[in-house]
Amino acid sequence: VRLTNISDLQLTGKSNPKNPVSSCHTVFLNFQRKCGILFSYLDLSNRNERNDTMPSKTIKVFVVDDSSLFRKMIIDYLSSCPDIQVVGYAFNAYDARKKIPLLKPDVITMDVEMPGLNGIDFLKDFLPLHPIPVVLVSSLNLNVFDVLSAGAVDFVRKPDMNIVSKEQFFSALNSKIHIASFAKVRCASRKRTTSTAASTTTAPKKPLFAGKQLSFRSTVIALGASTGGTEATLAVLKQLPADIPGMVITQHMPEGFTAMYAQRLNKLCQMEVREAKNGDQIRPGLVLIAPGSQQMEVVRSANGGYAVRCFSGQKVSGHMPSVDVLFRSVAKNVVGNKIGIIMTGMGKDGAEGLLEMRKKGAFTIGQDKASCVVYGMPMVAYNIGAVSIQAGCEQIPSVLLNHLKKSS
């Protein structure tokens, strides 16, 4: 972003001769908020995470799929996109391994299940040498999360062969490719196996807040994430104790995958994790994941605690489920201790909701740029003043636990 006239920011701040430091701080906050508007070029248009104000460039894409029919369908569609160039294709991982270093694509689309070398093993060997963003094209398959753990940036669900499903697929694929072109690639260690890739550094099974569960029944922790969030959220949850105050999570993810994702987290984390159902009570030791294709809000329940309301509706901030919907409901309905965490993802979903939470007294955490796959949502939240503290993905659990200990 280039400023041609600094006066365009129209910085204002009331003078306070008794406290010049305060005056400077006020001016700085105004500057930061103005810059927040200026720098939030990552999807201010709320168009499915993609923003037409992004710098225009041609994205070179390499397609890997063993199905000739599906491979042709993807290539034909991508070739019709004015800002995408298909530079090559491969029918399996071995073929891809030969061609990709020569063609140097910006983004790779890849099927999860392929004959011979599967997507997981391919990425573990290939990405450390060639860190190119990979968008998975997957059927409803639990293996997609293992491939994400191996370093893939995001995934799109394969369509049924009806017209509506194909149109939705193409729209999602286009969006994910553009997002991936901005993403940082994080490679899994070659020594980590599929079964243990996400099981290290887990929290001790011993409850950390013994005797404090009653006071924590009025505490709600809300977390939102998008691109890169499946692994980032896992990295946070696996370091939290079994008796963590009730958590609600919105992760941008298609219908069907959220249930599998919750099952995976439940196996790898100390607390109970499940896909939310309308009316589920929020309680210590339970994490509820917003179901794909539904919005999720936190509401007050008859017993004096809190529950979730899951419902079909319109997309908000370009998404369903939407992080803004979750965060705004927490700001509105939670009168006890509330904590908001916004993590990696393109766009601005959740930023305004997190600001509303902070204005209502919530402690808010934003993932820092260095640890984000895409520093979009946390950046916008920080720039508009919604974030109390920024922290790396691995440091967020300790920041959260320290705050809980102080507030209990």
Side-chain angles (χ1 to χ4, degrees):
V1 179
R2 185 176 180 180
L3 293 179
T4 56
N5 188 351
I6 195 67
S7 64
D8 290 342
L9 289 176
Q10 298 179 356
L11 302 182
T12 59
K14 292 182 180 180
S15 175
N16 184 353
K18 294 183 178 180
N19 191 348
V21 174
S22 176
S23 297
C24 292
H25 183 63
T26 301
V27 172
F28 173 76
L29 286 178
N30 285 330
F31 174 78
Q32 185 186 44
R33 286 175 182 269
K34 293 289 185 180
C35 287
I37 297 170
L38 196 62
F39 295 151
S40 300
Y41 60 89
L42 301 172
D43 188 23
L44 291 181
S45 62
N46 294 338
R47 298 177 185 175
N48 296 327
E49 290 194 356
R50 185 187 167 193
N51 186 343
D52 291 340
T53 63
M54 286 181 182
S56 178
K57 70 169 186 175
T58 299
I59 303 170
K60 296 184 293 182
V61 177
F62 188 91
V63 178
V64 187
D65 201 300
D66 62 297
S67 166
S68 59
L69 176 64
F70 207 78
R71 187 173 63 240
K72 183 178 185 304
M73 187 176 77
I74 293 176
I75 291 173
D76 287 349
Y77 167 72
L78 294 180
S79 298
S80 70
C81 300
D83 52 355
I84 292 177
Q85 177 189 3
V86 179
V87 296
Y89 67 86
F91 51 85
N92 61 31
Y94 295 109
D95 190 31
R97 193 160 57 184
K98 296 176 185 176
K99 294 177 178 177
I100 292 173
L102 300 175
L103 296 172
K104 295 180 172 56
D106 300 312
V107 177
I108 300 167
T109 71
M110 188 180 72
D111 192 3
V112 175
E113 297 293 338
M114 294 180 290
L117 189 65
N118 63 33
I120 301 168
D121 294 331
F122 170 72
L123 292 187
K124 284 184 177 180
D125 290 335
F126 187 82
L127 286 184
L129 301 175
H130 307 279
I132 301 170
V134 175
V135 176
L136 303 173
V137 179
S138 172
S139 56
L140 194 61
N141 190 319
L142 188 59
N143 286 341
V144 69
F145 297 109
D146 292 321
V147 188
L148 288 169
S149 177
V153 169
D154 211 333
F155 70 96
V156 182
R157 182 175 179 174
K158 276 190 173 180
D160 300 323
M161 297 311 288
N162 61 68
I163 295 175
V164 175
S165 180
K166 285 199 291 185
E167 288 179 352
Q168 292 174 343
F169 166 74
F170 288 141
S171 176
L173 180 63
N174 189 309
S175 174
K176 301 292 186 184
I177 287 173
H178 282 83
I179 293 168
S181 70
F182 289 88
K184 289 186 290 188
V185 177
R186 303 200 177 279
C187 308
S189 169
R190 293 171 183 243
K191 295 180 180 180
R192 293 162 69 186
T193 63
T194 300
S195 61
T196 61
S199 61
T200 58
T201 325
T202 53
K205 291 186 178 181
K206 181 179 178 181
L208 188 63
F209 301 109
K212 297 181 180 179
Q213 285 84 353
L214 186 62
S215 64
F216 280 151
R217 285 194 174 276
S218 62
T219 298
V220 175
I221 303 169
L223 186 151
S226 187
T227 307
T230 54
E231 292 305 302
T233 298
L234 172 59
V236 170
L237 293 187
K238 70 184 182 181
Q239 294 188 59
L240 298 178
D243 58 344
I244 192 72
M247 293 187 70
V248 284
I249 295 176
T250 290
Q251 164 71 49
H252 296 159
M253 194 177 291
E255 184 178 5
F257 285 94
T258 45
M260 292 194 304
Y261 181 55
Q263 292 168 12
R264 181 173 188 257
L265 294 179
N266 191 56
K267 291 178 181 178
L268 297 170
C269 302
Q270 301 302 322
M271 72 292 289
E272 179 186 359
V273 184
R274 64 172 184 254
E275 184 184 52
K277 293 181 176 61
N278 187 47
D280 277 346
Q281 297 293 306
I282 299 171
R283 57 169 174 79
L286 175 64
V287 176
L288 296 172
I289 307 290
S293 76
Q294 291 189 52
Q295 300 290 10
M296 184 173 76
E297 294 179 333
V298 173
V299 296
R300 298 183 191 181
S301 58
N303 63 7
Y306 300 100
V308 293
R309 174 177 173 252
C310 302
F311 59 98
S312 298
Q314 298 297 315
K315 289 184 177 182
V316 176
S317 301
H319 299 281
M320 186 166 63
S322 164
V323 183
D324 269 326
V325 169
L326 177 64
F327 284 175
R328 283 171 176 153
S329 71
V330 173
K332 178 182 178 181
N333 298 321
V334 176
V335 295
N337 188 19
K338 45 189 172 282
I339 300 163
I341 305 171
I342 192 164
M343 301 189 71
T344 177
M346 182 70 86
K348 68 184 187 72
D349 185 30
E352 293 290 342
L354 193 70
L355 181 60
E356 291 182 25
M357 284 185 64
R358 192 178 186 192
K359 287 179 178 178
K360 291 294 184 68
F363 178 69
T364 57
I365 306 171
Q367 187 176 354
D368 68 6
K369 182 177 181 179
S371 65
C372 279
V373 171
V374 178
Y375 187 55
M377 290 157 50
M379 180 195 74
V380 178
Y382 178 77
N383 286 341
I384 65 173
V387 175
S388 304
I389 184 171
Q390 286 197 113
C393 186
E394 294 296 326
Q395 286 71 51
I396 287 176
S398 60
V399 172
L400 172 60
L401 294 176
N402 286 337
H403 173 76
L404 289 171
K405 289 174 183 177
K406 291 176 182 179
S407 61
S408 63

